[in-house]
Each structure stands twice: as C-alpha cells, then as structure tokens.
Amino acid sequence: MTPSTSWEKRYGNLLVNVLFEGSLYTNMAEPTYFETTYTEVNGVASVPVTITNYGANEISSISYTLTSGSSVSEETSIGCNIPSFSSSVVNISIPGEATSGEASKTFTLTKVNGEDNTCSNTSVTGKVITLSFIPTPVPVMEEYTGTWCGWCPRGMVALKLINETYGDKVITIAAHNSDPMAFSPYSNMAPGGFPSAEINRGGGIDPYYDLGLLETALAAVVPGEISATATWTDKNKTKINITTQTRFGMGSSSSQFSIAYVLVEDGLTGTGSSWAQANYYSGSTSIDPNLQPLTKLPSSITGLEFD
C-alpha cells in the first residue's frame, strides 16, 4: 500500500490497541415506540411496543406498569428476547375501556431481567382506541385503463386474480379513459400513467405488481361498515333504488362522512377499432406466468368482454 500521509511516509503504519477498563451497562432498556392499537369494548389489545436494549446482556424478561389518567396498574412481568444493543417489538396486553373512545396509555418499563431498569427514560405513551365492534374492511381497488393502452392488459389480469382470490372481500372497478367505456368523472383521476390503480384512494400503485398492498388494506381498522342493496324500480330498468346501512365502531359528533355510489357493469362488448384492446405483451418471452397467456394473443385483441 502506498503511504498517503507524511506520517506514514516517515514512520510507517501503526497498530493502535485501545483497552477499556470497567464493566458495560446491564439492565438498561428504553421503550421507544408505542403503536396505536384498536380493541373492542371490554376487550384486550395486543399492543406492539418497541424496546431498545442498551445493556451488554440479552433481555429475557421485563416488568412494566400501565398508566391511564391517574390510574396505575400493578407491575406485570413477561418473557421476551431482546439481544444486547438491539431493538425488538414486544406485544403488551392492554385492556380496552368499558365504553368506546380514545385513551392515552403510558407504558413504563420498570425492571429488566428482574432488576431495576437503570435507563433514564423508561416510559412511552401511546393510544388505545376502544370500539363498540371491529368493522370488517372491504377495500376498493380502482384500476385506470383504456383499450388504447398496450400495457393495460396486465390490469385486466390483476382484477381477474383479485376476484378469484378475494371474491366479495374486495371491490374492483375498471375505470376506462378515452375509449367507448370511458366515464367522465374518472377522466382526470388516474394517479399516474396507464395502467395505474388506487386502493381506497390511497395514491398510485401498479394494478398488478403492487397487489400485495391489498393484504395491508384487508388488515386495516376502518371507522365503520357499509352495506347496500339495489333493486330496479320499473320494468324497463331505467331507475335503481338503493338501500344503504352503515354501522360505526366509535361515534363522534365532529366526524363528517358522506356516501358515494358507483354503478358498474360486466360483459361489455362492441365492434370497431376503439373496442380492440392494444396488447404490448404479444410475442414477449421471459414473462410472469400469470401474464404468459397475453404473449399468445395478437397485438390488437378483438372480441373481448370487459368487466
């Protein structure tokens, strides 16, 4: 190695050995994050609390108290596994309230491995939201597409996979742009290029490659549930009567909600070039297995039924 400093040129490289005397800290841990959690009335929430171990020894047990308002719980001890100088998530059981509402809870880490916690910061505060019931989420995925869009067939494949996998647990809507199925309220709503999609109007994603985000939406806690039934009001089927029911897990006089409806149709067909679906996957190789059937179709697909 070529010496790079005047010291190295004159004296050569030095090996420095530093010796630390004394003992490293033990039994020192800090709760650093308390995740907002939901539970039912008189239920028990499993709250993820992040704990950082600043000690030299692994933490195998902790003791803690919970403070809600002026009430402090008895000390509780649980087992855990937090390596030295590392952070881990520990699930803490916290009881819900007797009525629905939002409450602040303070988690205080009192002991580490049965000994007093020597950390200067031992507490973290978070929220536990108690609901009268846990609503079931039904995510809405809106996919922005068009027959002129050569990459949009993957969106058609995505919606088919969603419907086969989740059924009525997910609502899918194909919102067309600049083709015979276009619907003007959707014309400027696409969050990105085509195809693109949104789950619960939560920002632009790819309708096929980002399907994993549906699992997150299905696991989310939502404010309430909504159900609707529809019937034709005349024999010519020109008007629809919709009956809607809503149920909320927690009431609030300051909350503002509104209801919007989208009428969708399956099995749409037509003739002419504007009904032919462009297909850039035609003739492609080394492609995702779910998209493989598209490679055997022509670059302009006619006779499709659009759902």
Side-chain angles (χ1 to χ4, degrees), residues 209 281 283-289 291-292 295:
Y209 293 110
Y281 294 95
S284 298
T285 59
S286 301
I287 198 171
D288 187 301
L291 302 178
Q292 187 67 38
T295 67

Side-chain angles (χ1 to χ4, degrees), residues 24 138 156 226 300:
L24 294 173
V138 182
M156 299 172 68
I226 183 169
S300 181

Side-chain angles (χ1 to χ4, degrees), residues 243-263:
T243 302
T244 305
Q245 292 183 323
T246 58
R247 190 166 67 129
F248 293 90
M250 184 174 69
S252 173
S253 59
S254 62
S255 299
Q256 298 294 321
F257 294 97
S258 59
I259 298 175
Y261 300 91
V262 177
L263 182 64

Side-chain angles (χ1 to χ4, degrees), residues 76-301:
T76 301
S77 299
I78 60 171
C80 59
N81 181 13
I82 309 175
S84 58
F85 308 113
S86 299
S87 296
S88 297
V89 174
V90 178
N91 289 315
I92 306 298
S93 295
I94 298 180
E97 303 296 320
T99 59
S100 61
E102 181 180 297
S104 292
K105 305 281 185 176
T106 298
F107 170 88
T108 301
L109 184 54
T110 56
K111 291 181 180 178
V112 176
N113 293 333
E115 302 292 334
D116 288 342
N117 185 8
T118 60
C119 188
S120 59
N121 185 13
T122 61
S123 297
V124 65
T125 299
K127 294 179 181 178
V128 174
I129 299 176
T130 303
L131 305 175
S132 59
F133 75 104
I134 303 295
T136 300
V138 182
V140 177
M141 179 166 172
E142 295 164 301
E143 184 243 348
Y144 298 88
T145 185
T147 57
W148 50 269
C149 169
W151 298 117
C152 287
R154 76 168 177 266
M156 299 172 68
V157 172
L159 296 193
K160 183 175 184 294
L161 289 172
I162 292 170
N163 292 324
E164 290 175 349
T165 303
Y166 299 104
D168 292 338
K169 294 180 180 179
V170 176
I171 296 171
T172 58
I173 300 173
H176 282 254
N177 176 277
S178 300
D179 67 21
M181 293 165 283
F183 181 51
S184 58
Y186 273 111
S187 60
N188 296 314
M189 289 178 58
F194 287 77
S196 60
E198 289 184 290
I199 299 174
N200 296 338
R201 303 281 171 92
I205 63 171
D206 186 278
Y208 181 80
Y209 293 110
D210 294 330
L211 283 184
L213 295 175
L214 273 176
E215 291 296 330
T216 301
L218 284 163
V221 176
V222 293
E225 294 179 346
I226 183 169
S227 62
T229 57
T231 56
W232 296 105
T233 61
D234 61 327
K235 63 180 181 180
N236 294 323
K237 297 183 177 180
T238 60
K239 294 183 180 180
I240 295 176
N241 181 59
I242 302 174
T243 302
T244 305
Q245 292 183 323
T246 58
R247 190 166 67 129
F248 293 90
M250 184 174 69
S252 173
S253 59
S254 62
S255 299
Q256 298 294 321
F257 294 97
S258 59
I259 298 175
Y261 300 91
V262 177
L263 182 64
V264 297
E265 184 176 359
D266 291 339
L268 294 174
T269 60
T271 58
S273 60
S274 61
W275 284 89
Q277 177 65 56
N279 176 28
Y280 292 163
Y281 294 95
S282 179
S284 298
T285 59
S286 301
I287 198 171
D288 187 301
N290 291 318
L291 302 178
Q292 187 67 38
L294 297 174
T295 67
K296 297 177 172 56
L297 296 175
S299 58
S300 181
I301 310 171

